[in-house]
Amino acid sequence: MDFTDTPEEAAFRDEVRTWLGEHLVGEFAEIGGRGGPADETSWDARVEWERILGRDRWVGLSWPEEYGGRAANFAEQVIFNEEYAKANAPARVSFFGEQLFAPTLIAYGTEEQKRRFLPKIQSIEEFWCQGYSEPNAGSDLSNIQTRAVLDGDEWVINGQKVWTTLAHRAQWCFVITRTDPDAPAHKGISYMLVPMDQPGVTVRPLRQMTGTAEFNEVFFDDASTAKDMVLGEVNDGWKVAMATLGFERGTAFLSQQLAFQGELAELIEVAHKNSATDEATIRQRLAQAYIGVQIMKYNGMRMLTSLKKGALGPEASIGKLYWSTWHRDLGELAMDVLGPESQIVVGEPGDDYALNELQRTFMFSRSETIYAGASEIQRNIIGERVLGLPREPKIESAPKEKT
Amino acid sequence: MNFAFSDEQEQLRDAVRKFLEAKSPSAEVRRLMETTEGYDEAVWKQMAQELGLQSLHLPEAHGGQGFTFVELGIVLEEMGRVLLCAPYFSTVALAANAIMNAGSDEQQGAFLPGIAAGETIAALAFTEPNGKWDASGITMEAQGNGDSYTLDGTKMFVIDGHVANQIVVVARLSGTNGEDGISFFSVDGDASGLTRTPLATMDQTRKQARLDLSGVAATPLGDPGSGWAALSKTLDQAAVCLSNEMVGGAQKVLEMSVDYAKVRVQFGRPIGSFQAIKHKCADMLLEVESAKSAAYYASWAAAEDNEELPVVASLAKAYCSDAYFHAAAENIQIHGGIGFTWEHDAHLYFKRAKSSEILLGDATYHRELLAQRIGI
Ligand SMILES: Cc1cc2nc3c(=O)[nH]c(=O)nc-3n(C[C@H](O)[C@H](O)[C@H](O)COP(=O)(O)OP(=O)(O)OC[C@H]3O[C@@H](n4cnc5c(N)ncnc54)[C@H](O)[C@@H]3O)c2cc1C
C-alpha cells in the first residue's frame, strides 16, 4: 500500500496543475465546477472553456497519440480529474462524445471512422447524444424497436428514442437500431452513427422535474445515414452498446468523488452558518455523508489498483450503485440542513421554475439512480455476475409482432 | 498510488488462514465459548511460537518482528472470519498498544517480550460500570506517588480480564477530571486486593470480566497524569484493529448467505434467483467491500501513524460496525428458520457483530467523534 504518486505521476500532476493555473482564469474561473453531464448551466462559457481544453489535448486524454490523445493511463486520468476538481474547473460539456462514444469508437471503429470523428470531439465542434432508450425499452434495452433498413448506400431509420440527453445540442447520435427483426432480441441490433441535422430527425424537449429540459424525445421518420456509419458489424451492435454502457458505469464516473467531496464541504459550511450543526441528528448525517464520500475515494483507489492489473468487470456496478445512492442521500440531507428555506426556489412567483445548487442536487440525484442502469439493475448485475447467484427464470415472451 | 496488499502480506494471510482453519473450526469455537477461560492454551502458544502472531507488530528491540498495523489488520481479519476464541485482541490490539503508547522504553522492555513470546496474556482495563468510552468514563482514582500507587474501585467490561496475567489499568489522579489526570498503571493478574469476576457475555466468543480493586498495588506506566494522548491513540489504534476484525466476519457471513442462496430451493427455484434475496446479497457485497476499503485504509494510516489516524479510525469503526451488523442480521434472514437455530453458526456471527459494534463505542458514538474531529 502506498498512497503517494510515483515520480511519473507526480510530474504529470504538476503539468496538469500548471496548465490549469495558467488557463483557468477570468470568466472560466467563475463558472465553478457545478453541474453534471446533464446540466446546461453556463453552457456557452463552458463550451468555450472546453475548446481550450481540447486545443491543448486535455479532451481525449486517454486516446492513443495517433488520434490526438495523450495515451494517459487510468492513474493519469484520475490525477487529471482530481486536479480539475480541486481547481473547481467548469463541468464538462462533451461527456457523451468524449467519455462514452470515443472509447467505444476507439475499441470498435474502423480507421476511417476514428479519423472522421475523434478530432471533432476533441475540438468540441461536434456533440454527441446517446440513442438507446425507447418508450418500451428502458432497463430491458434489448427490446428496442427502432428499425433500420439498408437501401442502396444508405440506412433508412424509423422509430422513436426517448430520454435522449442533450439531443438538442448534438450534431450526431449513436443509435441502436434493429436491423434483423427475425433474430433473437440481442442478435439483430446494430450500432449506428446518425447525423441529427436532417429532415427525418425531430427532437422534442421533455421537461424534467427540475423545470429544465436537458433530455428529449427523438423521432426518426425515414432518417438516413451512410452505409458505413455502423460501428462494429451489422447485427452485432449489442456488444458495442454494452461496451459504451461499461464506460458509462465505470471509468466515466471514477473520478467524480472529488466534486462530491466539494459539495459536502459546501453543505457543511451552510450547516455551520445556519446552526444546523447544533442538532445531533444532522451531525450524525453529515458525519455519515463524510464517511460515505471518503469510502467512495478508498473504493475508487482499490478499483484503480485492480484496473492496473486488468480490466474493470461487473464490479463497476458496485461503484455506480454506491455513488448514485450516496449523492441521493446528500441531496436529501441538504434539504434538511436548509430547513424551511429549502422550500423556496429561485426568483419570484410566475418566473420560470428555477433551483439553487443544493436544490438541483436534490432533484438531479433522483435521476442518477435511474440512468446508466437503474439501481435495481445494478443489484441484479452484482448478484448474478459478481456473486454468481442464479438468474431469474425467463418468462416465455409472447411471439414478436412482425412490423 | 497502490491500494493492494503486497505478495508477502498475501502470504501471511494464507498462512494465518490455514492455521486458523485447522485450529479454530466451528466445533472448536463452540467448545471454547462454553468454557470460562474462553481460549485454548496450546493454540495460544502455537500462535506465538509457530506463526509469531503476538509479536508481529511489536518493536524488534523488545522481542517483536517490527511489522505494521497493516499486517496486524490482516491477522485480525482472519481471526474475525473464524471467530477465533483467544485473548488476542485484548493482549495485542489493546494492552500491547497501550504499553507502547504509554510506557517508557524500559517499561516496554519489561512487558513486551512476554507478550511477544506468548507467555503473557494482557488486558486493558479502562471502562467502568458507567459504560462510557471517553475520558469522562474514567472515575477510578489512583493514590500515591513515585513508583508506588494504589488503586481502588471497579473496572467493567474488561475483555479477557479474568485470564490476563498482566492488566493495564487506566485511572485518574485524584481531584482531576476530563482528559486531565489520566494515568496508566500495570497490575499483576494475581495482585492482592484484586477480585476478578468473569461476566456471562451475550457474545460467548469474546469474554469479559469485572475487576474489583481494593488497595491494589500498581506501577505507573509512563508519567502519571498525562496519559490521555496515549489512551486516545490506543483507542484509535484498537478501533482500526477491530474494524479489520469485523471485516473478516462480515465477509464470512456474506459468503454463507450467497452459498445458501444458491442451493436452497423454494417455489421450484433457488432463493438466490429471487430479487428480494439477490438484492440483499448485492447490498451486503457493496457494504463489505466498502468496509474493507475503510478498514484497510485505516490500517495504513495507523501504520504510518499519520495525522489522519483519529479521523479514519472513527470513520472505519462507524462504517464497519454498521456493515457487519447489517450483514450478520441479513444472514439470519436469508437462512430462514435454520438461521435462528443454536446449531447454525449464523447467531455466533450475529452476536460477535453486536459485541464488536458496542466495543470501543458504537457507530453513533464514532460518527459524533468524527464530526468533532473534522470540525463539524
Ligand atoms: C436524466 C436522465 C437522462 C437520461 N439520458 C439518456 C440518454 O441520453 N440516452 C438514453 O438512451 N437514455 C437516457 N436515459 C434513460 C435511462 O437509461 C432509462 O431511464 C433507464 O434505462 C431506465 O429505463 P426506464 O426509464 O424505461 O425505466 P424502466 O426500465 O421501466 O424501470 C422502471 C423501474 O423498474 C425497475 N426495473 C426494471 N427492470 C427491472 C428488473 N429486471 N428487476 C428489477 N427492477 C426492474 C427499474 O429499476 C425502475 O425502478 C436517461 C434517463 C434519465 C433519468
Side-chain angles (χ1 to χ4, degrees):
Chain A
M1 280 179 209
D2 179 8
F3 296 100
T4 53
D5 288 340
T6 63
E8 298 80 47
E9 288 166 355
F12 183 78
R13 190 184 293 282
D14 222 49
E15 188 186 347
V16 175
R17 206 176 278 170
T18 309
W19 189 90
L20 284 170
E22 283 167 7
H23 294 84
L24 186 62
V25 291
E27 158 189 37
F28 301 133
E30 272 150 41
I31 304 171
R34 286 281 184 162
D39 190 335
E40 289 186 287
T41 318
S42 312
W43 183 264
D44 293 339
R46 281 161 61 195
V47 169
E48 206 184 318
W49 159 252
E50 201 149 317
R51 290 198 167 131
I52 300 172
L53 275 181
R55 181 198 66 201
D56 288 356
R57 294 186 306 132
W58 297 110
V59 177
L61 196 63
S62 66
W63 307 350
E65 284 173 5
E66 51 183 315
Y67 302 115
R70 290 170 180 259
N73 60 31
F74 281 115
E76 288 167 339
Q77 292 172 57
V78 168
I79 287 170
F80 176 80
N81 287 306
E82 280 175 5
E83 293 305 318
Y84 195 85
K86 274 188 215 154
N88 199 28
R92 304 290 293 270
V93 292
S94 59
F95 179 80
F96 289 93
E98 191 211 6
Q99 297 285 322
L100 304 190
F101 177 62
T104 317
L105 177 64
I106 288 167
Y108 289 98
T110 62
E111 187 60 25
E112 230 179 325
Q113 288 169 336
K114 292 179 201 174
R115 299 268 172 220
R116 162 65 186 83
F117 291 115
L118 289 173
K120 295 221 186 299
I121 292 175
Q122 188 173 46
S123 61
I124 315 293
E125 285 170 84
E126 286 178 353
F127 288 106
W128 284 80
C129 60
Q130 179 177 29
Y132 279 21
S133 305
E134 296 181 5
N136 288 314
S139 302
D140 185 10
L141 191 58
S142 72
N143 194 39
I144 53 146
Q145 306 297 329
T146 294
R147 287 276 281 121
V149 178
L150 193 59
D151 179 11
D153 283 344
E154 286 198 328
W155 291 99
V156 178
I157 305 160
N158 281 285
Q160 184 199 342
K161 296 290 172 179
V162 72
W163 324 127
T164 322
T165 303
L166 300 180
H168 55 293
R169 301 276 186 191
Q171 286 76 32
W172 287 86
C173 185
F174 49 97
V175 186
I176 51 173
T177 62
R178 190 159 297 286
T179 38
D180 182 354
D182 299 323
H186 296 83
K187 296 283 159 66
I189 290 174
S190 300
Y191 194 106
M192 265 172 211
L193 317 180
V194 181
M196 295 294 281
D197 186 13
Q198 58 168 307
V201 175
T202 310
V203 176
R204 266 196 226 141
L206 289 168
R207 198 169 179 219
Q208 300 149 190
M209 64 187 280
T210 51
T212 50
E214 281 93 355
F215 63 25
N216 306 271
E217 293 177 295
V218 178
F219 298 89
F220 299 103
D221 301 298
D222 287 333
S224 65
T225 195
K227 187 179 173 186
D228 59 1
M229 285 294 163
V230 173
L231 204 56
E233 299 297 317
V234 173
N235 291 331
D236 198 23
W238 181 252
K239 181 173 78 187
V240 187
M242 288 303 106
T244 305
L245 270 189
F247 295 120
E248 185 170 10
R249 284 170 193 166
T251 43
F253 287 109
L254 203 54
S255 34
Q256 67 183 349
Q257 185 272 343
L258 265 160
F260 286 166
Q261 204 172 304
E263 277 186 55
L264 174 60
E266 282 174 38
L267 181 60
I268 291 175
E269 225 175 276
V270 170
H272 271 301
K273 282 205 188 107
N274 77 359
S275 300
T277 47
D278 293 349
E279 286 176 48
T281 51
I282 294 286
R283 298 176 64 75
Q284 285 286 316
R285 290 168 69 194
L286 287 170
Q288 188 66 15
Y290 180 85
I291 290 171
V293 80
Q294 289 301 109
I295 290 181
M296 200 186 301
K297 176 166 84 185
Y298 308 150
N299 280 346
M301 291 191 295
R302 277 178 70 212
M303 204 151 114
L304 191 65
T305 302
S306 56
L307 260 175
K308 284 182 184 170
K309 293 179 188 160
L312 193 62
E315 297 82 8
S317 288
I318 297 178
K320 165 70 184 23
L321 179 58
Y322 188 106
W323 71 253
S324 57
T325 309
W326 181 88
H327 202 217
R328 198 172 72 176
D329 291 347
L330 185 80
E332 294 173 15
L333 174 56
M335 295 303 97
D336 295 350
V337 163
L338 285 174
E341 211 183 307
S342 73
Q343 295 308 298
I344 309 304
V345 296
V346 179
E348 304 293 327
D351 287 358
D352 281 349
Y353 188 77
L355 304 170
N356 67 31
E357 285 174 349
L358 291 173
Q359 290 166 335
R360 273 218 299 278
T361 295
F362 175 60
M363 300 278 174
F364 264 117
S365 62
R366 303 320 292 193
S367 72
E368 292 165 353
T369 51
I370 297 171
Y371 69 66
S375 296
E376 292 74 16
I377 302 303
Q378 305 299 351
R379 289 192 177 92
N380 281 348
I381 295 172
I382 295 167
E384 289 163 16
R385 293 202 242 143
V386 183
L387 294 173
L389 291 167
R391 286 173 177 276
E392 282 180 273
K394 283 255 182 303
I395 294 166
E396 285 303 315
S397 50
K400 270 219 167 69
E401 269 175 58
K402 293 263 168 81
T403 43
Chain B
M1 198 284 298
N2 169 25
F3 194 174
F5 294 110
S6 67
D7 291 345
E8 292 74 22
Q9 288 164 340
E10 293 294 358
Q11 284 160 14
L12 170 69
R13 182 188 297 286
D14 288 347
V16 175
R17 184 169 296 190
K18 274 207 192 78
F19 176 82
L20 292 174
E21 274 169 3
K23 305 293 177 181
S24 181
S26 170
E28 195 58 12
V29 170
R30 285 166 180 273
R31 181 180 74 81
L32 292 169
M33 76 185 198
E34 302 287 356
T35 65
T36 307
E37 297 73 31
Y39 75 105
D40 182 306
E41 178 69 29
V43 172
W44 179 252
K45 284 273 179 323
Q46 286 168 339
M47 282 165 57
Q49 287 158 9
E50 290 173 21
L51 288 131
L53 298 186
Q54 286 91 322
S55 61
L56 205 61
H57 87 302
L58 306 185
E60 284 167 293
H62 304 310
Q65 303 180 60
F67 285 109
T68 72
F69 277 92
V70 176
E71 286 80 12
L72 182 58
I74 290 170
V75 169
L76 282 158
E77 184 179 346
E78 293 304 316
M79 291 177 175
R81 181 181 172 83
V82 299
L83 300 174
L84 174 73
C85 294
Y88 188 83
F89 191 84
S90 49
T91 301
V92 178
L94 287 168
N97 285 331
I99 292 166
M100 287 192 275
N101 293 328
S104 65
D105 196 52
E106 193 184 328
Q107 289 166 332
Q108 294 184 39
F111 296 121
L112 296 179
I115 290 176
E119 283 152 16
T120 304
I121 291 174
L124 178 66
F126 69 108
T127 38
E128 300 188 5
N130 61 46
K132 290 190 172 177
W133 303 101
D134 59 11
S136 74
I138 297 162
T139 64
M140 176 181 281
E141 293 196 345
Q143 311 284 344
N145 52 51
D147 270 350
S148 141
Y149 280 80
T150 56
L151 299 172
D152 289 272
T154 299
K155 288 287 168 185
M156 270 295 273
F157 317 115
V158 181
I159 312 274
D160 299 317
H162 60 307
V163 291
N165 354 80
Q166 193 205 351
I167 300 168
V168 176
V169 181
V170 183
R172 62 170 61 254
L173 299 182
S174 52
T176 64
N177 53 48
E179 294 168 7
D180 288 336
I182 300 293
S183 313
F184 285 84
F185 298 93
S186 172
V187 168
D188 283 344
D190 54 6
S192 80
L194 170 64
T195 311
R196 308 196 283 175
T197 315
L199 301 170
T201 49
M202 178 192 267
D203 167 16
Q204 297 170 290
T205 64
R206 179 140 47 211
K207 305 295 185 189
Q208 304 180 29
R210 172 191 173 103
L211 308 185
D212 290 297
L213 291 80
S214 160
V216 172
T219 318
L221 278 173
D223 289 335
S226 56
W228 172 247
L231 180 60
S232 175
K233 183 168 175 179
T234 303
L235 296 180
D236 287 342
Q237 290 168 334
V240 173
C241 289
L242 189 53
S243 297
N244 280 277
E245 194 197 274
M246 289 191 279
V247 158
Q251 171 68 32
K252 176 67 187 180
V253 292
L254 168 64
E255 290 169 18
M256 288 163 75
S257 290
V258 170
D259 289 348
Y260 190 69
K262 286 178 185 172
V263 298
R264 172 67 177 168
V265 172
Q266 286 292 282
F267 298 95
R269 43 195 269 219
I271 57 167
S273 69
F274 294 110
Q275 288 193 352
I277 300 295
K278 184 179 291 171
H279 289 189
K280 273 187 199 302
C281 292
D283 285 335
M284 283 162 80
L285 177 71
L286 180 144
E287 290 176 21
V288 170
E289 285 300 316
S290 300
K292 284 182 185 173
S293 298
Y296 298 164
Y297 189 84
S299 289
W300 173 80
E304 296 284 307
D305 196 10
N306 63 24
E307 72 282 0
E308 267 192 279
L309 175 61
V311 168
V312 297
S314 281
L315 182 159
K317 179 62 174 68
Y319 192 89
C320 295
S321 295
D322 283 344
Y324 188 11
F325 184 75
H326 183 230
E330 293 288 48
N331 187 41
I332 293 179
Q333 184 68 20
I334 289 169
H335 279 81
I338 204 163
F340 188 68
T341 61
W342 189 268
E343 190 189 350
H344 198 279
D345 284 350
H347 74 103
L348 302 181
Y349 287 91
F350 178 78
K351 292 166 185 174
R352 174 63 83 83
K354 193 67 194 175
S355 81
S356 307
E357 181 195 337
I358 301 282
L359 180 58
L360 304 173
D362 65 11
T364 305
Y365 172 82
H366 277 281
R367 277 190 292 267
E368 173 55 34
L369 201 54
L370 176 79
Q372 291 169 21
R373 286 171 166 181
I374 61 172
I376 291 179

